[in-house]
Amino acid sequence: MAFMLEDEFGDIIAKAWRGLGLTVSQVATETGITTKNISRMENYTRKPSRDEVDQIATTLQLDSDKLNAIATESWSPNTIAARYDPALEVVTVTAKVGGYPVHAYLLICMETREAAIIDTAANPKAIMKRISEINMDPKLILLTHAHGDHANGLMDLEDAFDCPTWIHANEPKPRSKNDLRLLKHGDVVSVGNLKVTTLDTPGHTLGGCSFYVRSTVIVGDALFAGSVGNASISYEKLLSNVQENLLSLPNQTVLFPGHGPATTVEEEKNHNPFF
Ligand SMILES: [Fe+2]
């Protein structure tokens, strides 16, 4: 595969059975596949056959063809055609947290060079370094959610850039130097000449949200290419919010997740087995 997806077959089926409130034994009974073989598929010591993919997809309410494309590693998202925008630059800053890569993003207005920092990647130093390398002026910080890998180190960024921080009103609040400013669905904040709209995408967390500007959305852990985030709060809400507030956007909209490669609305509609 051109590049690794954040979630592969085993991660996807585990998220689906947990999300539906099933146990592995129930999945085994429904599919006729042994619990041992399901576990081996989840830890990648056994490749599923096409029949097994079909049985699992039916039981877990996933799309069988899309799931099979991920099981056989025959799909990865193509965003090249959709990414060029003369008014907006998106810079990805990737850091490792507990050995796993996480992305923060810089949204830069190309007309004014004013910028928003989105999430911290728990590595304010990496963000400060990137900012010092390019000509930009951070004016605000936006948080997709408050998990440590997205919000730790916030106060260091607030200190460095003297910026206000915005977070969804329903989200637990990380420690901040200033009073946090609260967002709800549809709220708009300005970054230079760019207008950034808040979209509700809870389910992974209580007040998880996404940030939509022009034909780009920073989606946090609501959606990964070919998958969704862990539904710690509500699987049903996560899927319905992604469907209604992200996959309803124009096909060429580029989606930048907190983990793994960028994707597009069209790619997800055609390839994400949860939809
Ligand atoms: Fe998260």
Side-chain angles (χ1 to χ4, degrees):
M1 199 181 291
F3 48 102
M4 295 282 285
L5 297 174
E6 173 65 14
D7 283 349
E8 296 170 70
F9 179 80
D11 308 291
I12 290 169
I13 66 171
K15 281 181 177 175
W17 63 254
R18 286 193 194 106
L20 293 169
L22 300 173
T23 62
V24 177
S25 322
Q26 286 170 316
V27 179
T29 307
E30 287 289 321
T31 57
I33 304 167
T34 64
T35 54
K36 191 177 166 198
N37 280 344
I38 292 170
S39 298
R40 290 176 66 209
M41 290 173 201
E42 285 186 6
N43 60 32
Y44 305 105
T45 54
R46 184 175 193 281
K47 275 197 187 283
S49 68
R50 178 65 215 234
D51 276 355
E52 288 169 334
V53 171
D54 289 344
Q55 283 152 344
I56 288 171
T58 303
T59 300
L60 300 183
Q61 300 167 31
L62 297 169
D63 183 287
S64 174
D65 289 339
K66 296 174 184 175
L67 185 62
N68 190 57
I70 290 176
T72 55
E73 302 189 359
S74 54
W75 170 74
S76 65
N78 178 1
T79 60
I80 293 164
R83 281 176 90 147
Y84 177 70
D85 182 341
L88 166 70
E89 185 182 355
V90 181
V91 175
T92 307
V93 180
T94 304
K96 280 197 175 174
V97 178
Y100 294 98
V102 54
H103 307 309
Y105 294 96
L106 308 172
L107 288 184
I108 307 170
C109 168
M110 297 301 275
E111 284 161 14
T112 65
R113 300 305 294 178
E114 289 175 294
I117 300 167
I118 303 191
D119 291 348
T120 67
N123 196 327
K125 280 195 180 132
I127 292 175
M128 289 181 223
K129 181 170 178 285
R130 196 75 187 95
I131 287 172
S132 72
E133 289 164 356
I134 46 182
N135 166 29
M136 60 169 282
D137 184 13
K139 291 290 187 193
L140 63 148
I141 301 166
L142 300 168
L143 296 177
T144 59
H145 63 300
H147 280 166
D149 56 339
H150 292 258
N152 285 355
L154 173 63
M155 289 197 289
D156 292 347
L157 291 177
E158 290 172 329
D159 263 335
F161 302 113
D162 197 22
C163 280
T165 299
W166 298 79
I167 188 167
H168 197 283
N170 294 343
E171 185 68 359
K173 306 299 179 292
R175 288 181 65 212
S176 167
K177 207 178 135 238
N178 312 309
D179 287 340
L180 290 163
R181 300 188 187 183
L182 303 182
L183 294 163
K184 61 181 188 318
H185 184 74
D187 282 354
V188 176
V189 294
S190 293
V191 182
N193 297 331
L194 301 171
K195 304 283 180 223
V196 182
T197 304
T198 303
L199 302 176
D200 274 359
T201 45
H204 174 66
T205 61
L206 210 52
C209 66
S210 297
F211 297 110
Y212 181 30
V213 52
R214 294 179 60 83
S215 57
T216 286
V217 193
I218 311 295
V219 302
D221 291 354
L223 173 140
F224 303 139
S227 186
V228 289
N230 265 316
S232 316
I233 301 295
S234 165
Y235 183 67
E236 206 185 325
K237 257 194 188 159
L238 181 64
L239 297 190
S240 64
N241 277 283
V242 168
Q243 180 79 63
E244 284 163 28
N245 293 334
L246 298 180
L247 301 187
S248 59
L249 298 172
N251 276 341
Q252 289 306 295
T253 308
V254 187
L255 308 172
F256 290 92
H259 307 269
T263 183
T264 65
V265 167
E266 185 171 32
E267 286 280 21
E268 293 311 301
K269 288 201 291 200
N270 291 338
H271 298 285
N272 190 315
F274 288 92
F275 303 99

